[in-house]
Amino acid sequence: MKKELITGGEALLRSLINEQVDTIFGYPGGSIIPVFDALYDHQKDFHQVLVRHEQAAVHAAQGYARSSGKVGVCLVTSGPGATNTLTGISDAMLDSTPVVVIAGQVSSAVLGTDAFQEIDLVGVTQPISKWSYQIRSAEDVAWAVSRAFYIASTGRPGPVVLDFTKNAQVSQVLYEPMKVDSVRSYVPYPKPNMDCIKEAADLINRAKRPFAVVGQGVELGEAHKELIAFLEKGGIPAARTLLGLSSLPSEHPLCMGMLGMHGNLGPNVNTNECDVLIAIGMRFSDRVTGKLETYAKQAKIIHLDIDNVEIDKSVPVDIPVLGDCKETLPLITELLNENCHKEWIATFGDLDKIENEKVIEKAVNPTDGPILMGEVARKVSEATGNNAILVTDVGQNQMFAARYFKYKLPHSIITSGGLGTMGFGLPAAMGATMGAPHRTVCYFAGDGGFQMNIQELGTIMEQKCPVKMIVMDNSYLGMVRQWQQLFYDNRCSWTPMCNPDFCKIAEAYGIPSRFVTDRSELDAAIKEMVETPGAFLLSVVVRAEDNVMPMMPLGASVCEMILE
Amino acid sequence: MLMEKKLYTVIVYSENIAGMLNQVTAEFTRRQMNIETLNVSSSNVEGVHRYTISLWTTEWLIQRVTKRLEKKIDVLRAYYFTDNEIFMQEVALYKLSTPRLLENKQVSKIIRHNNARVIEINSAYTVVEKTGKTDAVLSLYKEFAAEQCVLQFVKSGRVAIVRDANVNLSENLFDEDVVRSKVRR
């Protein structure tokens, strides 16, 4: 291929094209103008999304990445542009989301002089990213971009930061495309250890009460079919973590629900009843395990994970199965005896009955009183044929939506799990409509989180993103209020919130909306939302002091869930 | 056992690039683990740097930190050892007053008894070098100090080599098939 003399900024864009990038979420500024200038000539090559705040650029890229399986890309300026991305980078790190954040930087010659809008971005992002690198010359661009995409998307995915100095953007380079497909110090896909595979299969074959706990690793590894084959052959009941909810369809007979602090009773209680616990692509988050000292102590534990750091990190493992679960699951399945564990599975049903009666029925089918978040979530899910992508904000809205939504298709939940970032949902939903343009995207938020990135209504308007926004307004920061009620003597410090008319805000952006306070209007409003093409805001006044139940209080064991 | 505090030596091999030291030490900073000694220099493999870090901690923590170090993109290997698994040495330099050394014969005796080496003598000062374990180099300092002849003292962090006859830490640095961590089978 003939080499061509171009600027570093142009080289960046050609490198992005080389990585099949089709969408960029960005915001221009002084130190990145040369790249935006080059973008002017590439309007056909990229869907250029001007967000309204750089934090939203990263969350949108996360939503795009998680709905499409591709790498999300952000382009921002130095200094405040770069620091505004830090929350999103941290979020992507904790939730293993492949994004590449490209930030402008002052020229190499003035680095370290406190130049205008200079911050040490590599220094700041090293601990919160998978890889962070400063591009100081145009010659470096092709290699750095390709390496960034390779690192972000392989193994356990994560965010990569490229800090692009201005001199490197403007200087000329004889550009040649490059493809990095290995890094000698990085082993993204560890080779499965066959001894461990055999030991794991043997243990599962001998188990009387095996139980699989499944996380986002299955989604990231596209191992949905492999998971189902494994569960069905071994007759193994399974539950999913928050991030892994769509790794196994809700209606699958072996799906026992959701794990965690606000998960279902059956899987949480039975974690401490099983004899073999098989963790698949999940990291034993403290929100899943509760009190570690009492977590699954009776069980032998098998842990399938791609990341060696997760093995033994918080829960001691009997048999580690390091590797990509798309590869390791079939290897174990092959060695499994066909089994069914009927009686064991029935115990989940018994616990389901209790939860149904004490919690679920009341949450999704109330007959009087104010509207409840649970019923909104279930109705919206059903109105979309349970085919929609659920994007949530953080807090009660997240837990109610996650619990009462139903998941039929892979990649159907996008939520901030590890970092718990309020304000994540709206931009992430916006990104998801671009990552999965043929799917319905339903965004659930509370009145608090909606207002944390509400400026993105501007981007939604401009880009015509068909986000179905469901704002469940209880005029409280509900999850904190719940804790204050339960553990702080009901002292609701700083949690009541006075809110604007959200529909009027939507109207200002030309987004159709509906305001609902009465249960009798809810079905029609949801129908209108689903049937209206494009974006829609459903502003629902919900019960002010509702609590998410069941709940595993902080410091309690998985089997000590409170129901009321 | 896992929770008993001991002096551990962590050995890390990484690419020789800017910012690596920061990445390595950040894993300790994150847990407020205080590094006792740190030695960083090029290794026997071209382009690869070797870090030798010693610190007091528990096996439970050092296992986890070592794995996290090894996970860094540009880190090739990370290992941890207790003192009985390694040979380790530190280098100390003692700048002594030459007039004090000449008038006090005890100082020369101390140098000989401790197998220390004189590497520079001039009319103002004498530089003595001693290689040994931490206790040995520090006790030599105390002996000199008692004779009031020390003008300056410095000691390095430790360097360490594994006792096991069959282990060469820098072997197979780029071999994917080698299990990447000694922490796990």
Side-chain angles (χ1 to χ4, degrees):
Chain A
M1 193 179 213
K2 199 184 156 218
K3 292 184 185 179
E4 202 181 335
L5 194 66
I6 56 175
T7 65
E10 175 65 23
L12 175 82
L13 301 181
R14 298 218 189 160
S15 302
L16 293 179
I17 292 168
N18 200 34
E19 297 294 334
Q20 276 95 47
V21 172
D22 55 17
T23 305
I24 301 174
F25 301 93
Y27 206 101
S31 293
I32 195 76
I33 290 180
V35 176
F36 277 86
D37 182 63
L39 263 171
Y40 199 73
D41 295 326
H42 283 280
Q43 298 188 29
K44 285 185 184 156
D45 294 319
F46 303 104
H47 181 186
Q48 306 182 5
V49 184
L50 172 69
V51 294
R52 301 301 190 258
H53 189 291
E54 291 91 346
Q55 183 191 350
V58 192
H59 294 328
Q62 290 179 271
Y64 172 89
R66 280 164 72 172
S67 59
S68 67
K70 294 194 271 186
V71 178
V73 180
C74 309
L75 186 64
V76 299
T77 191
S78 65
T83 54
N84 279 343
T85 64
L86 299 180
T87 303
I89 294 169
S90 311
D91 196 289
M93 186 69 175
L94 281 168
D95 284 353
S96 313
T97 311
V99 292
V100 171
V101 176
I102 303 152
Q105 178 59 283
V106 300
S107 285
S108 306
V110 294
L111 281 169
T113 65
D114 299 329
F116 180 63
Q117 296 191 327
E118 182 200 355
I119 62 138
D120 173 12
L121 186 63
V122 170
V124 169
T125 53
Q126 265 177 348
I128 54 166
S129 64
K130 196 169 169 189
W131 185 54
S132 186
Y133 182 77
Q134 187 173 70
I135 303 174
R136 281 189 300 272
S137 76
E139 283 76 17
D140 227 7
V141 171
W143 171 82
V145 171
S146 187
R147 198 178 199 250
F149 277 77
Y150 172 67
I151 289 171
S153 61
T154 52
R156 180 175 180 177
V160 169
V161 177
L162 292 175
D163 187 32
F164 196 9
T165 62
K166 201 164 182 181
N167 59 296
Q169 297 170 35
V170 295
S171 57
Q172 304 265 309
V173 58
L174 266 175
Y175 175 78
E176 194 179 19
M178 197 181 249
K179 193 78 201 165
V180 172
D181 57 9
S182 75
V183 172
R184 65 178 187 175
S185 52
Y186 170 56
V187 184
Y189 302 104
K191 283 185 188 153
N193 176 331
M194 285 314 292
D195 292 339
C196 294
I197 300 273
K198 281 179 197 139
E199 277 181 57
D202 193 38
L203 188 57
I204 297 168
N205 282 336
R206 282 185 282 124
K208 299 272 182 275
R209 299 183 307 282
F211 180 39
V213 287
V214 180
Q216 195 195 195
V218 170
E219 296 251 51
L220 293 169
E222 297 289 349
H224 307 85
K225 283 183 188 158
E226 289 78 1
L227 173 70
I228 289 174
F230 166 80
L231 298 175
E232 288 180 351
K233 188 170 181 192
I236 302 163
R240 310 91 96 225
T241 65
L242 176 68
L243 265 65
L245 279 172
S246 54
S247 56
L248 181 66
S250 310
E251 301 295 339
H252 190 281
L254 290 169
C255 180
M256 300 297 141
M258 180 168 104
L259 297 157
M261 185 176 263
H262 294 291
N264 295 113
L265 190 63
N268 277 320
V269 168
N270 274 352
T271 297
N272 277 7
E273 295 296 330
C274 66
D275 59 355
V276 175
L277 187 74
I278 310 136
I280 306 167
M282 59 84 80
R283 63 180 177 90
F284 293 110
S285 138
D286 54 87
R287 287 309 195 250
V288 160
T289 63
K291 190 177 174 185
L292 277 171
E293 291 75 17
T294 56
Y295 182 78
K297 288 295 173 196
Q298 80 294 343
K300 291 273 184 198
I301 298 182
I302 300 169
H303 192 177
L304 285 72
D305 208 286
I306 201 163
D307 182 1
N308 192 30
V309 161
E310 295 304 340
I311 308 282
D312 277 342
K313 185 179 78 178
S314 44
V315 172
V317 171
D318 295 288
I319 304 174
V321 182
L322 196 60
D324 184 350
C325 60
K326 192 167 179 75
E327 194 181 352
T328 54
L329 272 173
L331 290 172
I332 298 176
T333 307
E334 208 184 311
L335 302 176
L336 285 190
N337 301 334
E338 283 192 26
N339 223 323
C340 63
H341 304 293
K342 232 179 195 174
E343 283 174 27
W344 164 235
I345 291 171
T347 64
F348 287 88
D350 298 341
L351 292 159
D352 277 354
K353 269 184 206 153
I354 300 172
E355 188 184 344
N356 249 314
E357 185 190 323
K358 300 217 164 176
V359 181
I360 299 175
E361 196 53 32
K362 291 177 192 167
V364 297
N365 291 318
T367 46
D368 53 5
I371 298 175
L372 301 181
M373 293 194 217
E375 66 176 315
V376 181
R378 178 58 59 84
K379 279 178 191 295
V380 171
S381 180
E382 284 169 354
T384 63
N386 301 320
N387 280 318
I389 296 178
L390 169 66
V391 183
T392 79
D393 215 82
V394 167
Q396 286 188 323
N397 64 86
Q398 176 185 35
M399 291 299 124
F400 276 119
R403 280 180 59 83
Y404 297 116
F405 228 71
K406 288 190 176 173
Y407 309 90
K408 222 194 248 180
L409 303 169
H411 305 292
S412 291
I413 176 142
I414 299 172
T415 187
S416 170
L419 197 65
T421 307
M422 279 178 71
F424 168 86
L426 189 60
M430 184 173 96
T433 61
M434 298 176 204
H438 304 299
R439 296 189 63 187
T440 303
V441 176
C442 295
Y443 153 71
F444 279 80
D447 41 301
F450 182 50
Q451 293 180 84
M452 271 204 185
N453 265 319
I454 197 168
Q455 78 286 343
E456 293 312 313
L457 288 173
T459 317
I460 288 170
M461 168 186 69
E462 186 172 320
Q463 296 290 333
K464 300 185 173 57
C465 302
V467 184
K468 307 301 177 192
M469 296 170 269
I470 300 105
V471 177
M472 302 187 289
D473 180 357
N474 56 7
S475 294
Y476 269 115
L477 299 173
M479 188 59 95
V480 177
R481 188 211 54 76
Q482 176 172 342
W483 281 55
Q484 288 169 334
Q485 181 196 328
L486 297 175
F487 312 117
Y488 291 87
D489 203 18
N490 208 20
R491 287 151 56 90
C492 294
S493 177
W494 295 55
T495 42
M497 201 176 215
C498 178
N499 289 317
D501 180 338
F502 293 125
C503 291
K504 279 195 177 155
I505 294 176
E507 192 189 338
Y509 286 100
I511 294 171
S513 65
R514 184 135 170 200
F515 178 69
V516 178
T517 55
D518 195 293
R519 179 164 293 114
S520 63
E521 304 161 52
L522 188 58
D523 285 331
I526 291 173
K527 190 165 183 283
E528 185 186 345
M529 174 182 78
V530 174
E531 287 175 358
T532 304
F536 193 97
L537 175 78
L538 183 63
S539 176
V540 189
V541 175
V542 294
R543 183 174 159 196
E545 295 180 354
D546 198 5
N547 287 339
V548 190
M549 291 290 159
M551 180 180 190
M552 189 200 311
L554 206 62
S557 299
V558 276
C559 54
E560 295 171 341
M561 295 202 87
I562 51 173
L563 288 167
E564 298 172 287
Chain B
M1 228 5 220
L2 279 172
M3 289 305 182
E4 187 191 341
K5 266 201 167 183
K6 282 185 198 165
L7 187 63
Y8 284 94
T9 299
V10 175
I11 295 174
V12 180
Y13 286 91
S14 85
E15 299 290 359
N16 176 19
I17 50 173
M20 268 328 292
L21 176 61
N22 216 4
Q23 289 194 56
V24 170
T25 57
E27 278 305 329
F28 299 101
T29 312
R30 185 174 175 185
R31 294 169 183 76
Q32 292 295 296
M33 294 162 86
N34 190 28
I35 291 172
E36 289 289 330
T37 72
L38 169 68
N39 179 289
V40 190
S41 73
S42 54
S43 73
N44 52 318
V45 183
E46 203 182 332
V48 174
H49 258 47
R50 189 185 200 273
Y51 298 66
T52 311
I53 304 157
S54 72
L55 70 163
W56 287 89
T57 187
T58 62
E59 181 157 22
W60 194 89
L61 257 181
I62 204 72
Q63 266 184 5
R64 279 149 187 82
V65 171
T66 308
K67 277 191 182 182
R68 292 193 97 98
L69 288 171
E70 204 167 61
K71 185 179 165 179
K72 305 250 169 234
I73 296 292
D74 293 303
V75 168
L76 290 149
R77 294 278 188 278
Y79 308 89
Y80 71 89
F81 303 97
T82 52
D83 277 4
N84 56 10
E85 294 173 297
I86 51 174
F87 289 106
M88 74 295 229
Q89 295 280 281
E90 290 175 354
V91 178
L93 298 177
Y94 311 78
K95 185 170 156 188
L96 308 178
S97 151
T98 303
R100 292 284 295 152
L101 191 145
L102 292 175
E103 70 188 45
N104 181 352
K105 289 192 176 140
Q106 186 58 26
V107 179
S108 306
K109 275 189 192 165
I110 294 170
I111 296 173
R112 282 198 303 278
H113 285 163
N114 284 279
N115 284 326
R117 213 158 58 95
V118 175
I119 56 174
E120 164 76 24
I121 304 181
N122 59 42
S123 58
Y125 60 83
T126 299
V127 178
V128 173
E129 179 226 298
K130 162 84 183 161
T131 302
K133 292 191 179 171
T134 317
D135 290 349
V137 298
L138 286 179
S139 84
L140 178 56
Y141 168 75
K142 281 180 190 157
E143 286 187 56
F144 285 140
E147 303 303 327
Q148 293 172 347
C149 61
V150 184
L151 299 174
Q152 245 188 79
F153 165 68
V154 66
K155 81 171 190 67
S156 71
R158 59 170 53 181
V159 291
I161 211 158
V162 180
R163 280 178 186 269
D164 190 326
N166 302 314
V167 172
N168 177 2
L169 296 183
S170 62
E171 209 175 40
N172 304 322
L173 277 181
F174 310 110
D175 188 347
E176 277 189 33
D177 289 339
V178 175
V179 177
R180 293 200 83 207
S181 176
K182 76 162 219 149
V183 178
R184 261 290 170 186
R185 51 184 150 165

